[in-house]
Amino acid sequence: MKNDKLNEIFQMQRELDDFIKSGRDLNYSLSEWLQRKAIALNVEMAEVMDEVNYKWWKNNAEIDKQKVKEELVDVFHFFVSMCLDVGMTGDELHKLYIEKNEKNVSRQRGKFGKDYAQ
């Protein structure tokens, strides 16, 4: 099995999601789950923003990288959970990421028209 670490994360998230759903007797539609998790993901991203001094009108504090990392892991939890909801595996995410990354690199090298040329 390739991408063992990513697949391990996906399996752990599946187990956590199943535990939460059964323990709290939650039974939402796919649309409702995706909406709720998208909201949660955005809330977690807002918590990242709180840690990185986005408020230009305030004095900047030193960034606590450990807190930022913790918030990013929270973001990742909801992201992986959403991937699982739509039937995506760790291997598929890896494959799709590689394909999209190659396309983005090509774009930055001007291979997809003038909109991306540097």
Side-chain angles (χ1 to χ4, degrees), residues 55-104:
K55 295 178 181 177
W56 64 89
W57 59 91
K58 290 179 67 177
N59 293 333
N60 285 336
E62 186 173 339
I63 292 175
D64 184 336
K65 289 183 182 179
Q66 187 58 41
K67 285 185 180 178
V68 173
K69 290 175 184 180
E70 290 171 13
E71 297 303 340
L72 290 171
V73 170
D74 289 342
V75 169
F76 193 57
H77 266 277
F78 288 107
F79 172 78
V80 171
S81 186
M82 291 176 76
C83 289
L84 290 166
D85 286 343
V86 297
M88 187 182 295
T89 65
D91 288 334
E92 184 180 11
L93 174 62
H94 180 264
K95 176 184 174 287
L96 292 171
Y97 177 90
I98 296 298
E99 290 171 2
K100 186 65 174 193
N101 183 269
E102 289 171 355
K103 187 173 186 177
N104 287 340

